[in-house]
Amino acid sequence: MQKFIRPVCMTAAVAGISSLLAFTGEVPQPKRTDDTPKLATSIKVPQGFTTTIVAEDLLGARHMVVSKSGDLYVKLSKLKDGKGIYRLRDANKDGVPEQVTSFGDYKGTGIYIKDGYLYATSNSAIYRYKLNEKEEIINPDQPETIVTGMVDTGRDNSKSIALDDKGNIYVNIGSSNDACREEGTGKGMMPCTLLDTVGGIWRFKADVKNQTQKDGVRFATGLKNTVGLDWNRKTNSLFVLHHGRGQFHDFYPQYYTPKHSAILPSEAMYELHEGDDAGWPYIYYDHIQKKKMLAPEYGGDGKKTGGKNAINPVVGFPAHLGPNGLLFYTGDMFPAKYKDGAFVAFHGQNSELKQGYFVAFVPFKNGKPSGPWEVFADNFAGIDLAKPSGPVQHRPCGLAQGPDGSLYVSDDMNGTIYRIAYNK
């Protein structure tokens, strides 16, 4: 299978027309050399599931969304041929996209379709594109600017987004500072003034142009960085995946060993409502003790609990797994156990557990986790993490659900897009 099969552009003028027509579905489909999707046999999935490769070479492929007609929109954190959004069209539904188009001259992570618009983010702004009735971009070169000027320090700066059903858009504004320490010390700032502008979820109006961060509402705080988030329409609430802070043992060897720093603090899933505080940087969650612990910068010693007024996570995961993608499954293709449950894409690894780079599943019932989480799709790394024989090959990042109920997984390391389907 070719990595990409592109429409042929004969002249600059024709290229411009072709680019426009591609978004209205009128570009003739080029001949393909292979109409069979390539199996990703190295990916380990439960019995009955099959993983195929939809595309390769989309370096920096982050979050994705699928239109109701099946077009896959992929947001890139690195520009490819000067563009940051790629649309893959598989018109004949054989699993191989025969049309690939691109637009948007900015890199970023967030992308979402809601109420006739495609929303996409850079690392400091939110844009939207008007869609037609088939959810195709009408004018890819003239997006509306919804928000600009959000904090971007160059690290932990993903502006991941989700939208509710009342015209609101929620965006992660993460902190590049792990622990809010006073410079050169092991003491935490009190209060942590970083929380005024980062370390939480901000809410904006989805249909108001030219907002700035000051126009938004700090919806929830105490969240260092939440790359993965999704609006759960069963609970009518926002769920996010929190990246835990870094090592403990550098300033506090009397309380924490390097092993402590390898297994803690937890990565965690939270259900958020307006005004919630998850407690960062003052506390962290310990999934082993199942307790909120006082951070060492604020007097903690690995035994003292804290965060009386902070919310509890709904799920705690091992440290350093880097949960970057969250999707509540609403399709009918997969077995009934997956309905309304949450898929989580883990972008990192836990060095102590020798585990990582996988997609997990969290079962839900009545809007709450109903059992332990499990590994759903594994071995994206392509190596034995306990005895690595070479570099990691793929790092799961984004998740999207197709109209048929299949699950798409993006890899932002080598740019592979996977499709996982169930054979009934």
Side-chain angles (χ1 to χ4, degrees):
M1 184 180 76
Q2 291 183 349
K3 290 185 175 181
F4 282 121
I5 304 169
R6 303 175 183 273
V8 177
C9 299
M10 294 177 287
T11 67
V14 173
I17 295 172
S18 295
S19 177
L20 176 61
L21 293 179
F23 287 91
T24 61
E26 298 178 21
V27 172
Q29 298 175 14
K31 292 181 180 180
R32 293 176 294 157
T33 59
D34 186 356
D35 59 1
T36 303
K38 180 180 177 181
L39 287 172
T41 56
S42 63
I43 304 301
K44 299 176 181 179
V45 289
Q47 186 174 359
F49 289 88
T50 301
T51 305
T52 55
I53 294 176
V54 176
E56 297 175 287
D57 244 6
L58 276 178
L59 299 183
R62 299 283 281 179
H63 287 179
M64 305 173 291
V65 67
V66 185
S67 73
K68 61 184 179 184
S69 61
D71 288 349
L72 178 64
Y73 292 93
V74 184
K75 191 74 193 72
L76 307 185
S77 62
K78 303 175 182 179
L79 296 183
K80 179 178 176 63
D81 298 328
K83 301 300 180 183
I85 305 174
Y86 270 68
R87 190 211 66 186
L88 312 181
R89 169 167 291 177
D90 176 17
N92 62 2
K93 310 303 180 187
D94 64 359
V96 181
E98 60 276 348
Q99 292 179 7
V100 179
T101 50
S102 60
F103 59 102
D105 58 358
Y106 52 93
K107 59 186 179 180
T109 293
I111 194 163
Y112 209 92
I113 287 179
K114 185 68 177 174
D115 295 336
Y117 287 90
L118 176 87
Y119 292 82
T121 71
S122 70
N123 292 326
S124 62
I126 304 174
Y127 306 94
R128 74 172 186 174
Y129 301 81
K130 182 66 177 173
L131 303 174
N132 64 19
E133 66 280 357
K134 295 181 180 179
E135 293 190 340
E136 300 165 326
I137 303 291
I138 293 175
N139 192 337
D141 296 323
Q142 294 183 355
E144 296 177 356
T145 300
I146 302 301
V147 183
T148 58
M150 291 182 287
V151 174
D152 174 13
T153 60
R155 175 176 172 266
D156 290 338
N157 58 350
S158 157
K159 299 303 180 287
S160 307
I161 53 173
L163 281 83
D164 64 16
D165 296 323
K166 295 183 177 180
N168 297 306
I169 186 166
Y170 301 83
V171 57
N172 164 58
I173 304 181
S175 170
S176 60
N177 185 312
D178 261 4
C180 199
R181 293 171 180 160
E182 294 180 0
E183 188 173 356
T185 76
K187 184 179 179 181
M189 294 172 57
M190 191 64 180
C192 178
T193 54
L194 294 174
L195 294 170
D196 295 338
T197 54
V198 298
I201 300 294
W202 267 252
R203 184 182 66 200
F204 299 91
K205 289 296 183 182
D207 59 352
V208 176
K209 300 178 186 179
N210 300 316
Q211 299 169 84
T212 67
Q213 184 168 337
K214 292 181 180 179
D215 296 315
V217 173
R218 190 178 66 177
F219 179 75
T221 191
L223 296 154
K224 180 194 171 304
N225 192 31
T226 55
V227 182
L229 67 166
D230 196 17
W231 187 263
N232 186 329
R233 285 175 168 76
K234 282 288 185 179
T235 61
N236 197 36
S237 58
L238 183 69
F239 283 74
V240 303
L241 299 169
H242 183 233
H243 283 210
R245 47 84 56 85
Q247 58 192 23
F248 295 110
H249 68 280
D250 53 355
F251 278 94
Y252 316 100
Q254 68 272 37
Y255 303 131
Y256 301 94
T257 67
K259 184 175 180 178
H260 285 129
S261 291
I263 63 175
L264 295 171
S266 305
E267 314 281 43
M269 179 190 293
Y270 289 92
E271 180 181 6
L272 298 181
H273 299 90
E274 186 168 1
D276 279 347
D277 183 352
W280 177 87
Y282 308 113
I283 64 167
Y284 64 92
Y285 187 68
D286 182 330
H287 62 284
I288 300 171
Q289 299 187 66
K290 294 183 170 55
K291 294 178 180 179
K292 294 175 292 187
M293 310 299 293
L294 193 64
E297 288 81 5
Y298 297 92
D301 58 2
K303 299 177 182 179
K304 297 177 183 176
T305 59
K308 179 181 178 181
N309 296 321
I311 61 173
N312 291 307
V314 297
V315 184
F317 303 101
H320 312 304
L321 288 178
N324 272 13
L326 174 63
L327 180 132
F328 283 95
Y329 185 77
T330 60
D332 296 319
M333 175 188 283
F334 289 7
K337 66 171 282 188
Y338 296 101
K339 190 78 168 187
D340 299 324
F343 285 101
V344 178
F346 286 105
H347 185 254
Q349 69 164 312
N350 182 289
S351 59
E352 187 70 22
L353 298 177
K354 311 299 183 185
Q355 184 182 34
Y357 312 111
F358 59 85
V359 175
F361 175 72
V362 183
F364 269 65
K365 185 176 182 179
N366 299 323
K368 302 293 182 183
S370 58
W373 64 272
E374 61 191 53
V375 176
F376 173 73
D378 201 1
N379 201 40
F380 289 91
I383 57 172
D384 183 348
L385 295 176
K387 298 179 181 179
S389 56
V392 169
Q393 299 299 306
H394 305 281
R395 302 178 71 177
C397 182
L399 300 168
Q401 180 183 305
D404 61 356
S406 57
L407 180 70
Y408 292 88
V409 183
S410 68
D411 148 44
D412 70 354
M413 173 175 276
N414 283 320
T416 303
I417 307 296
Y418 300 90
R419 177 180 178 266
I420 301 176
Y422 183 71
N423 305 309
K424 294 184 179 180

